[in-house]
Amino acid sequence: MQRVLVTGGAGFIGSNFVHHVLEHTDAVVTVLDKLTYAANREALEMLPEERCTLVVGDIVNEELVDGLVSAHDAVVHFAAESHNDNSLKDPSPFVQTNIVGTFTILEAVRRHGVRLHHVSTDEVYGDLELDDPARFTEATPYAPSSPYSASKAGSDHLVRAWVRSFGVEATLSNCSNNYGPWQHIEKFIPRQITNLVDGVRPKLYGAGLNVRDWIHTEDHSSAVWAILNHGRIGETYLIGADGEKSNLEVVQMILRLMGHPQDDFEHVTDRAGHDLRYAIDSTKLRSELGWQPQYRDFESGLAATIDWYRANEAWWRPKKAAVEAGYAAAGQ
Ligand code: NAD
Ligand code: DAU
């Protein structure tokens, strides 16, 4: 039995990961989460208390982190400020949590010899041209565009340096855009679904031609668990499910699934420095660890996600007005 400390385990991907671990393994989980605006405490409430404990706290709190790390066999580090648009308005918490927080975790796993898996993003590689046949691989040079992706790139570099200089036992993964239940409604897909529930037209940044490589969060979870248990120390694994779609295609799919005409959307102010295209080549993960995505049909995964947001309006409704007021102030 493993005792696993999951930072950010109340967030979108972290909470789905905790559900995955409790369902598919016999590990016991402690979640360390600050419960920022992005957290979903509710997602953890239905889990058995004897296998999942929530500790509310900040990953930059050295004493707290040290005590928790010393009592676990492994740390899976999801905690982060995660939204690009927020990082353009105020980068400060991104530097604090994503860089100083990761440093704090690294020092604790170094002191106690605890295994670490660091969860990162494909955005550290910058973007690709729309007509470029290339995809990101583990060898692609780092070229982050936004304060968010730069802070995640910084955290990745710290992890690699701690592996090389101090012998910390860590792996890294860089995943593409996740979708599924419990994603905050500031993000693209849940924002458009909840807009349509409210009779508001979906909002596309700029022309809507930017491409994202979608993966169901459940597939991200299974990949992280495989890397934690079978990945080679010091290695980076890219996680992706061959899900490239333009934002326009995704909006039109949501419109179709929710019974609206294909042109029932509007263009709004583009994101500053907006990355054009992300695309992941996950050959290394698939060939070395035998991992495969289970959610290969994006449209049916999206339909299930729409159903989930319709069924869980009580969870997202209290957040909706403030999120939309923030976007409206930015012309988005
Ligand atoms: P999220 O914003 O939904 O959740 C982040 C969680 O971290 C929240 O529960 C929040 O309360 C917690 N947190 C924030 N600051 C903290 C701090 N200082 N101390 C403790 N807890 C803190 O994010 P997400 O979308 O679930 O992303 C999780 C991780 O996965 C991040 O590291 C992100 O960079 C990475 N990632 C996300 C995606 C994606 O598509 N969302 C893709 C690839 C990688
Ligand atoms: O690639 C992985 C990254 O994916 C993660 O590291 C980030 O944490 C996660 O937030 C996500 O980043 P993106 O910036 O790609 O996701 P977001 O949901 O904010 O936007 C997806 C695309 O949709 C992007 O091209 C911007 C666009 N967009 C977004 C919103 C909120 C719109 O066109 N309209 C919108 O209303």
Side-chain angles (χ1 to χ4, degrees):
M1 186 188 69
Q2 287 189 63
R3 297 164 303 167
V4 184
L5 179 64
V6 179
T7 73
F12 162 47
I13 304 174
S15 62
N16 277 288
F17 176 76
V18 172
H19 277 260
H20 177 90
V21 169
L22 264 58
E23 195 179 330
H24 296 283
T25 80
D26 64 357
V28 171
V29 168
T30 305
V31 168
L32 170 59
D33 199 295
K34 190 178 170 183
L35 298 185
T36 69
Y37 78 96
N40 312 312
R41 192 182 199 136
E42 305 88 330
L44 303 176
E45 279 166 0
M46 65 270 277
L47 294 170
E49 280 175 26
E50 62 281 11
R51 289 193 60 206
C52 180
T53 308
L54 170 63
V55 176
V56 179
D58 197 320
I59 56 164
V60 305
N61 180 336
E62 188 185 322
E63 202 183 327
L64 175 67
V65 167
D66 190 79
L68 285 170
V69 166
S70 71
H72 289 81
D73 304 308
V75 179
V76 182
H77 177 35
F78 289 96
E81 286 291 337
S82 69
H83 193 39
N84 277 299
D85 292 323
N86 293 345
S87 80
L88 296 165
K89 289 178 192 147
D90 179 11
S92 154
F94 290 76
V95 172
Q96 194 61 16
T97 289
N98 300 359
I99 299 181
V100 181
T102 301
F103 162 74
T104 309
I105 305 259
L106 281 166
E107 285 292 80
V109 295
R110 172 155 89 106
R111 275 191 295 272
H112 297 290
V114 170
R115 171 84 169 85
L116 170 68
H117 180 71
H118 174 66
V119 177
S120 192
T121 169
D122 58 358
E123 295 193 15
V124 299
Y125 300 115
D127 61 354
L128 300 159
E129 294 297 328
L130 294 178
D131 59 356
D132 186 343
R135 299 192 289 172
F136 298 138
T137 73
E138 288 78 4
T140 304
Y142 274 48
S145 311
S146 73
Y148 162 67
S149 50
S151 68
K152 292 296 292 188
S155 71
D156 292 9
H157 289 315
L158 291 181
V159 176
R160 289 172 178 199
W162 262 241
V163 169
R164 176 160 175 162
S165 300
F166 302 126
V168 159
E169 293 202 5
T171 41
L172 302 90
S173 57
N174 298 77
C175 187
S176 59
N177 285 62
N178 285 219
Y179 73 99
W182 300 111
Q183 185 168 30
H184 195 278
I185 55 164
E186 68 190 354
K187 302 294 198 309
F188 178 55
I189 288 179
R191 183 181 184 209
Q192 315 314 335
I193 296 170
T194 54
N195 273 351
L196 283 169
V197 170
D198 280 352
V200 173
R201 302 169 95 192
K203 320 268 188 197
L204 271 179
Y205 291 178
L209 301 178
N210 307 62
V211 169
R212 296 294 181 266
D213 190 352
W214 294 98
I215 180 172
H216 196 279
T217 187
E218 180 63 18
D219 284 330
H220 190 179
S221 293
S222 65
V224 166
W225 188 255
I227 298 165
L228 178 69
N229 286 283
H230 305 293
R232 284 183 292 137
I233 297 302
E235 292 292 316
T236 291
Y237 295 87
L238 262 56
I239 306 174
D242 302 328
E244 280 188 70
K245 296 255 175 306
S246 74
N247 295 337
L248 176 61
E249 283 176 286
V250 174
V251 155
Q252 290 186 324
M253 204 180 275
I254 294 172
L255 285 166
R256 190 166 66 249
L257 290 167
M258 294 182 74
H260 289 257
Q262 291 292 277
D263 59 353
D264 199 10
F265 61 84
E266 60 181 285
H267 296 280
V268 294
T269 309
D270 207 352
R271 174 182 284 171
H274 196 174
D275 280 338
L276 273 178
R277 170 173 162 254
Y278 307 140
I280 289 269
D281 178 346
S282 58
T283 303
K284 177 177 173 181
L285 174 64
R286 294 176 195 229
S287 56
E288 243 185 55
L289 304 186
W291 174 86
Q292 292 287 341
Q294 299 303 311
Y295 287 76
R296 290 155 196 269
D297 177 1
F298 178 71
E299 184 156 348
S300 65
L302 186 61
T305 304
I306 291 170
D307 289 346
W308 190 89
Y309 279 88
R310 280 185 165 137
N312 289 277
E313 183 168 344
W315 167 71
W316 57 262
R317 173 59 62 198
K319 312 171 203 277
K320 184 67 178 166
V323 167
E324 289 308 319
Y327 278 126
Q332 295 177 320

